[in-house]
Amino acid sequence: MSQYHFQTEVSRLLHLIIHSLYSNREIFLRELVSNASDALDKLKYLTVADDAYKSINFDPRIDISFNKDAKTLTISDNGIGMNEVDLIDSLGTIARSGTRTFLEKLAEDAKKDSNLIGQFGVGFYSAFMVADRIEVISRKAAEDSAWIWTSDGQESFEIEPTERDSQGTTVILFLTEEGTEYANRWSIEDIIKRYSNHVAFPIYLTYDEKEWDDKGNEKGSKIKTDRINSGTALWRRSKTELKEEDYNEFYKGFNPQAGSDSEEPLHYVHTRAEGTLEYSTLFFIPKKAPFDLYNVDYKPGVKLYVKRVFITDDDKELMPVWLRFVRGIIDSEDLPLNVSREILQRNKILANIKNASVKKLLSEFRQMADNAVSGGDEAKEKWETFIGQFNRPLKEGLYQDFASRDALQDLVRFKSTAVEGWTSFADYVSRMKSDQKHIYYITGGDDKTLRASPLLEAYRAKEIEVLVMDDEIDDIVIPTLQNYRKETPGEDGKSESQSWELRAVNRSGADEELGEKKDKAAEKEAKPVIEKIKKALGDRVKEVKLSRRLHDSPSCIVADENDPTIQMAQMLKAMGQTSMPDIKPILEVNGDHPIVAGLKDIDDEQRIADVAGVLLDQALLVEGIKLTDPADFVKRLNRLLAE
């Protein structure tokens, strides 16, 4: 017998599960059945794709039994099985980044929501909510040795050789007093029908059925085994025979993140294609973004089947990266069963299915957006939930997926200086002034900081709407978009394309479209002051200019047309591009402001330097940019206040 200690993260997880998670304990059975189904999927694939496994006598099934007297519950399968190394790797460690995030979520969550367990791929450990000891007996397919893993869920586990007639895994739970409520036929059947009815393999329950005589007296019992799930692949059934409840129940069992009864999908899309290509797809849009949505090593949410044979659930090629929040299934009739991951990446059949699926999802998103306008409060709330959770991935699509750009530019949403809540490019265009030629936007910082920016003063005075883009990804995505195109019906019935250029108000040339004429006399009068400020600031700025966009504020900063904004430069450095040179802003000053005009008759170089430094630093602060030398700013400000 060999004894091993759990990985630190597993120990912390088990402690939380055993002592804190009781809100929905029944999900342990869903998780164990899901693991068994995965094991059967893997062996089923190998028996048709790998010659080493084709000789195995394989009749896939999951068996459940219980013993009230011994207080045990047993879940068994004849799937791929595990050897000693697999048991250590699978049940003693968590080979997933994001585990720390999971533990932090559990520690912080006042509700101690056990539904998080499945979301992080650690479902086996949920069994310790109802058991104080677990035995796992397993034999790997094509191997002769079997092993037994035993643990009380504390700090360690033991592994030793044992016997098992065939490949597969048996999990025996030694139930706690509270856990014995699941050691009965009705509880097990109810849980399986709610969470695992869709599992493609038969699930059998073995139990003692009492027998009665004609007078109603118990005369004995007999052991009976019944199948307790339908085992139908829901995605291959006709949509006409399915109800919304069927999709919701399938989603709860299919997607561990769904968890509780109340967590239904936000939307689902069921497609059956016949013709040149035959395939079925069933996609779900969650109500909440997956926890690892912004992790580089996110877990894909789409599973691939070929003729109902499970192929893979971890291939990121099945969906574009920007659609990584979608959960669901692709089942093809045309792909070979022995298709490898390398083949999948360049397979034309899968590429066509993927492209068609993306178009279908985009069409559904557009319909959701249209319904939000023409439908009632429920449709509006549904769309706002979708945008609130997935607006950013859609923006990523604008940058990554050129083929979907036209559709995505009508779906993404932004904040605005003209309306409350979200607005679209199309809505903006519909509100434009008759003589306005461009769509104006401002990026960087947070919403409150951007709305207070001096850069908006001239636009506000002229009642020109500006889109407020406070998501850091906007600074990368929107410049690549360059313009917004819209198809409008022409007089002859044919559609005509209109285009509006996107202009950032924090760019040096944006003020040219404001209609402000250059005042040559004012420029000439301000030139000495501009020269003083420029000399005082030296290489801290790229240029100092007289502003045509400022009304009340003394100064503002803008970026050169060919430079990234300071916020974008900071973001790129944070992403690892440390070799990027420092970006110098252009300082614009308001010649009519008393602080600027007051420098005209001052020759004291220290005072000019202090005023110039404060003008630049306050312009940076207003844009939400951290000062490189706050102490210097304070000293300059104190000297000016003391005079």
Side-chain angles (χ1 to χ4, degrees), residues 442-453 456 468-470:
I442 184 171
T443 61
D446 59 83
D447 180 70
K448 184 178 180 180
T449 299
L450 291 177
R451 290 181 186 276
S453 173
L456 298 181
V468 180
M469 302 187 179
D470 58 347

Side-chain angles (χ1 to χ4, degrees), residues 122-158:
V122 290
F124 168 79
Y125 304 112
S126 64
F128 282 106
M129 289 191 293
V130 297
D132 51 21
R133 184 163 65 94
I134 298 177
E135 292 181 357
V136 179
I137 302 168
S138 194
R139 175 179 165 184
K140 194 163 187 175
E143 295 186 9
D144 297 327
S145 301
W147 303 87
I148 180 170
W149 177 100
T150 307
S151 178
D152 58 5
Q154 299 300 314
E155 297 180 350
S156 62
F157 57 92
E158 297 173 348

Side-chain angles (χ1 to χ4, degrees), residues 357-395:
S357 297
V358 170
K359 289 180 181 178
K360 179 62 177 176
L361 286 167
L362 285 169
S363 174
E364 291 290 320
F365 299 161
R366 182 56 189 263
Q367 188 62 51
M368 287 170 60
D370 292 343
N371 290 342
V373 176
S374 59
D377 292 340
E378 186 176 345
K380 183 178 180 182
E381 182 181 353
K382 181 178 181 178
W383 173 247
E384 288 178 349
T385 299
F386 175 77
I387 285 298
Q389 294 294 315
F390 307 116
N391 196 33
R392 185 170 180 176
L394 295 184
K395 292 178 184 176

Side-chain angles (χ1 to χ4, degrees), residues 47-186:
T47 57
V48 297
D50 192 325
D51 291 338
Y53 295 87
K54 288 183 178 180
S55 61
I56 292 178
N57 183 18
F58 183 53
D59 182 18
R61 61 184 285 161
I62 299 171
D63 285 278
I64 302 175
S65 61
F66 59 89
N67 187 318
K68 285 187 176 182
D69 295 331
K71 297 180 182 178
T72 61
L73 178 63
T74 303
I75 301 92
S76 182
D77 67 74
N78 59 340
I80 188 67
M82 293 177 281
N83 56 27
E84 183 180 18
V85 174
D86 295 330
L87 287 167
I88 295 171
D89 291 343
S90 300
L91 305 185
T93 62
I94 303 177
R96 283 283 307 280
S97 64
T99 303
R100 187 180 303 277
T101 307
F102 174 45
L103 293 170
E104 289 172 356
K105 279 180 174 286
L106 288 180
E108 294 170 1
D109 186 3
K111 296 180 179 179
K112 304 299 181 188
D113 188 2
S114 59
N115 298 321
L116 286 169
I117 289 173
Q119 179 180 350
F120 284 77
V122 290
F124 168 79
Y125 304 112
S126 64
F128 282 106
M129 289 191 293
V130 297
D132 51 21
R133 184 163 65 94
I134 298 177
E135 292 181 357
V136 179
I137 302 168
S138 194
R139 175 179 165 184
K140 194 163 187 175
E143 295 186 9
D144 297 327
S145 301
W147 303 87
I148 180 170
W149 177 100
T150 307
S151 178
D152 58 5
Q154 299 300 314
E155 297 180 350
S156 62
F157 57 92
E158 297 173 348
I159 296 179
E160 60 181 321
T162 189
E163 299 292 330
R164 198 178 196 276
D165 293 339
S166 62
Q167 85 284 338
T169 300
T170 299
V171 180
I172 304 172
L173 309 183
F174 294 84
L175 302 170
T176 62
E177 285 299 326
E178 295 83 0
T180 55
E181 66 176 289
Y182 301 106
N184 69 81
R185 172 188 175 187
W186 311 113

Side-chain angles (χ1 to χ4, degrees), residues 61 65 166 182 199 203 270 298 311 409 481 572:
R61 61 184 285 161
S65 61
S166 62
Y182 301 106
V199 171
I203 302 174
H270 189 185
Y298 69 90
I311 303 299
Q409 67 178 352
L481 190 59
L572 292 173

